[in-house]
Amino acid sequence: MAKTKVCVIFGGVSSEHEVSLMSAKSIIDNIPTDKYDVVKIGITKKGRWLFFPGCSDDIISDTWHEHPDCVPCLISPDKTTKGIIKLFDNEVFIEKIDVVLPVLHGKNGEDGTIQGLLSLADIPYCGCGIFGSAACMDKVYANIIFDHLGIERCKWDYI
């Protein structure tokens, strides 16, 4: 039986970059490798996407992007690709993936943007969908929704 190929995306340009690194290491270290093949995409603080073939210790120390075998990559919104496009020496390689674990915190991770890209690409992912992510990232809109639905919580206001 073929293993499920799981892509863990970590890092990012948000102020919570380091939190993402800690979360990613924990997740990667606990995925059962007898059932899953893990591939990793790291996003630098400047927003560069890199396919990262190294170990999770380099993630936690934030030296992962210095790995000599990192190559630029992207996820195409084209539904026929269903994978990672790796760019190496003016050549393009496609690595198919089955599911994505977006381990990104804050802006461009929990706000629906990565979920939108993965939805366009028709690649399954874990976590909240586009609207739930976007609505809950904006605390004013989240509270308006909670008020409308009658969900009790502490009093709130905005300026």
Side-chain angles (χ1 to χ4, degrees), residues 51 68-73 85-93:
F51 178 82
D69 294 326
C70 279
V71 295
C73 71
I85 298 174
K86 298 187 274 186
L87 311 169
F88 183 73
D89 287 339
N90 295 321
E91 291 189 57
V92 174
F93 300 92

Side-chain angles (χ1 to χ4, degrees), residues 114-134:
I114 190 78
Q115 294 83 354
L117 171 62
L118 296 169
S119 293
L120 283 172
D122 199 25
I123 299 172
Y125 59 91
C126 296
C128 298
I130 300 166
F131 178 74
S133 298

Side-chain angles (χ1 to χ4, degrees), residues 63-127:
T63 58
W64 64 269
H65 50 88
E66 298 168 4
H67 193 284
D69 294 326
C70 279
V71 295
C73 71
L74 59 99
I75 293 177
S76 170
D78 184 326
K79 291 182 184 293
T80 63
T81 305
K82 292 216 188 265
I84 302 165
I85 298 174
K86 298 187 274 186
L87 311 169
F88 183 73
D89 287 339
N90 295 321
E91 291 189 57
V92 174
F93 300 92
I94 296 175
E95 182 162 349
K96 300 287 186 182
I97 53 177
D98 297 308
V99 65
V100 171
L101 299 178
V103 188
L104 300 166
H105 295 280
K107 184 179 179 184
N108 297 318
E110 292 177 300
D111 61 358
T113 53
I114 190 78
Q115 294 83 354
L117 171 62
L118 296 169
S119 293
L120 283 172
D122 199 25
I123 299 172
Y125 59 91
C126 296

Side-chain angles (χ1 to χ4, degrees), residues 8 10 18-28 60 103 105:
V8 176
F10 63 89
E18 289 77 13
V19 177
S20 171
L21 301 182
M22 290 186 288
S23 298
K25 178 180 177 19
S26 177
I27 289 168
I28 291 164
I60 199 71
V103 188
H105 295 280

